[in-house]
DNA sequence: GTGCATGTTTGATGTGGATCAAGTAGCAGC
DNA sequence: GCTGCTACTTGATCCACATCAAACATGCAC
């Protein structure tokens, strides 16, 4: 990777405050590579050789069992994935697939682990990143175990609205079938849940959703700060399951 | 806490290889306290003041939304909980409640974060612990999103069997209603799932389950190493969601 | 434009599992 | 023993959601 490309990695909270030396060690042997859409980068069960950093595009993280498949998270720039597997040098638990043409940095796992050993501050940053990811998964589990399809969809729309600056119009960031799987339902059920929301002032036109009555939507969603990320925010969502980092960052730095 | 009590914390992978100094810093101001059964230690949404280490007993980690409640994990000795919240100095996402009389060490969060800053090796141990917890949550999410009630129960029984040395008889470690919630179903459904397994050579008598035909059970469970922890193991399960650590440890040390 | 693939919606139907309700078993206290 | 409490089971019913199937849209290749 070129020097300027490596600097791009500083957009990650993980490398934000890293010393030049740590960044050099951590990214030794890293590659920057574009991938076409619909490309499988990693299959679950495979050893995790390198940490992936998504610089541009979209990557779906999914898993399968017994012939069926579910989307666990979607990475959006700039974010990384399979950090946990890298830290433990373990097999990946998810598969990764590009949804669109994506620019991805691949950092050898050894380099990351070496940097953790050498730089306590970096190891701390890794720990905070993983803590955020863990909490994202806890939120996701609560979402799935406690809420029904309508409530999950309603909260998802509120999350998008918050991420998009609280406008009345939100744009669905990926195909509805992907959203359906992410929300733990079938595409048919998502479609029906959308039309059920039609009576509550939600208009859907392709990927564009218009929210005419936020309080009606909230009445269905019953949002909860311990599950959702609807709070006013400064940064964009980077991935559905590791959005915790900025949430705590934000608290500390008062949205600056 | 007394010197000898602090040594007990070394049973945690987190402190296993910590220097005496790090252990001293990390546990500064820690308290050791017994709690009666059915005691709420922590309510979700509360600031996480200290890291809890369960030395004896059982603690249920649960969460609620809109009047309903679900068990997310159960901590068994020796394990810790709410590490992620401590690392980020964030509000707890789960409530914690003792299921039986429990002996618990409470370590101030500041001390843990200070130790992370001072000792890179300790920060690395925290990162590995969190990585294990994250992966446990990923497994749990896959379990819930991909499998039905029967498959979840069947795999749960296989997990207990593996943890108990692969004997034909396993003992349910907690009340069935707790297991039901942990597995994401109602007590009624758990009861019916158990009786459905009766035709497959599973006998249930109170907390004792006899597995007469493992392959029949496996045919229902379709166990998957990327979801379950059925593999032969040396250590006991410490908690349902952070059992990943020993799995990787074990790989490295060949079960020694 | 036509043709074809892919994604989405709509309709009909089925079912896994929740809910509601009653009954039973186990156990502590007396 | 009896009483009361709690956990669990069993039965009847219901409903949220999945499944199956067909129609409909959208976009692209040509």
């Amino acid at each position: 990777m070129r020097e300027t490309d490596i600097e791009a990695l500083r957009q990650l909270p993980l490398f934000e405050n890293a010393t030049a030396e740590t960044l050099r060690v951590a990214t030794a042997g890293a590659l920057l590579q574009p991938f076409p859409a619909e490309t499988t980068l990693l299959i679950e069960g495979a050893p995790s050789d390198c940490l992936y950093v998504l610089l541009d595009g979209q990557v779906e993280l999914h898993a399968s069992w017994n012939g069926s498949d579910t989307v666990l998270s979607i990475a959006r720039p700039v974010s990384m994935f399979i950090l946990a597997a890298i830290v433990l040098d373990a097999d990946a638990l998810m598969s990764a697939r590009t949804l669109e043409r994506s620019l991805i940095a691949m950092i050898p796992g050894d380099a990351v682990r070496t940097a953790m050993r050498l730089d306590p501050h970096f190891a701390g940053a890794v720990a905070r990143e993983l803590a955020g990811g863990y909490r994202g998964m806890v939120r996701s589990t609560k979402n799935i175990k406690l809420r029904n399809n309508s409530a999950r969809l309603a909260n998802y729309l509120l999350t998008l609205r918050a991420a998009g600056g609280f406008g009345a119009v939100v744009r669905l960031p990926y195909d509805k079938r992907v959203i359906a799987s992410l929300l733990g339902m079938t595409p048919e059920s998502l479609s029906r849940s959308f039309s059920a929301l039609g009576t509550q002032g939600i208009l859907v036109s392709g990927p564009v959703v218009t929210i005419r009555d936020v309080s009606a939507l909230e009445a269905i969603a019953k949002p909860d700060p311990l599950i959702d990320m609807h709070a006013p925010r400064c940064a964009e969502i980077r991935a559905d399951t590791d959005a915790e980092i900025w949430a705590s960052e934000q608290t500390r730095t008062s949205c600056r």
Side-chain angles (χ1 to χ4, degrees), chain A:
Chain A
M1 274 178 78
R2 291 169 19 205
E3 195 66 30
T4 53
D5 294 330
I6 286 178
E7 278 302 312
L9 297 178
R10 287 209 184 266
Q11 293 172 71
L12 286 173
L14 186 64
F15 293 119
E16 199 175 4
N17 297 313
T19 63
E21 170 66 7
T22 294
L23 190 59
R24 197 187 59 74
V25 171
T27 61
L31 296 174
L32 185 70
Q33 205 171 330
F35 290 94
E38 307 294 330
T39 304
T40 295
L41 303 169
L42 176 73
I43 297 182
E44 50 178 333
S48 52
D49 297 325
C50 50
L51 178 66
Y52 293 78
V53 180
L54 178 66
L55 293 169
D56 191 40
Q58 286 182 340
V59 172
E60 175 196 274
L61 297 164
H62 58 107
S64 66
W65 177 77
N66 196 34
S68 55
D69 195 278
T70 192
V71 175
L72 294 167
S73 173
I74 291 167
R76 302 178 69 182
V78 177
S79 68
M80 67 185 115
F81 47 95
I82 65 153
L83 178 61
I86 292 296
V87 167
L88 294 176
D89 197 8
D91 293 347
L93 294 181
M94 310 179 187
S95 301
R97 190 182 110 234
T98 57
L99 290 177
E100 56 183 41
R101 184 185 154 84
S102 300
L103 185 63
I104 291 170
M106 296 162 70
I107 305 177
D110 288 334
V112 175
R113 289 185 292 269
T114 300
M116 282 177 68
R117 236 176 288 119
L118 297 180
D119 182 348
H121 189 272
F122 180 69
V126 170
R128 280 185 293 278
E129 185 76 25
L130 287 167
Y134 174 81
R135 285 166 61 89
M137 286 303 303
V138 170
R139 288 167 186 273
S140 172
T141 303
K142 288 168 69 170
N143 195 34
I144 290 168
K145 287 184 80 175
L146 292 167
R147 303 213 266 227
N148 62 16
N149 282 0
S150 322
R152 287 203 296 279
L153 173 58
N155 278 294
Y156 183 68
L157 292 177
L158 288 173
T159 302
L160 288 181
R161 188 180 99 96
F166 298 93
V169 176
V170 302
R171 168 168 277 268
L172 301 179
Y174 2 88
D175 284 356
K176 292 201 182 89
R177 83 199 142 82
V178 175
I179 293 172
S181 182
L182 186 62
L183 296 180
M185 62 181 93
T186 59
E188 296 96 320
S189 290
L190 178 66
S191 180
R192 279 183 241 270
S193 297
F194 265 126
S195 55
L197 289 179
T199 64
Q200 309 296 318
I202 302 295
L203 297 174
V204 183
S205 168
V208 177
V209 179
T210 306
I211 301 167
R212 306 194 68 82
D213 186 349
V214 174
S215 53
L217 189 59
E218 284 177 338
I220 294 167
K222 299 186 179 69
D224 181 336
L226 301 179
I227 305 182
D228 312 294
M229 307 299 248
H230 297 171
R233 53 181 68 171
C234 315
E236 287 200 359
I237 300 180
R238 295 190 218 243
D240 294 275
T241 52
D242 75 358
E244 184 85 16
I245 291 292
W246 59 255
S248 60
E249 292 285 315
Q250 173 186 312
T251 312
R252 256 184 277 284
T253 60
S254 323
C255 244
R256 189 67 36 72

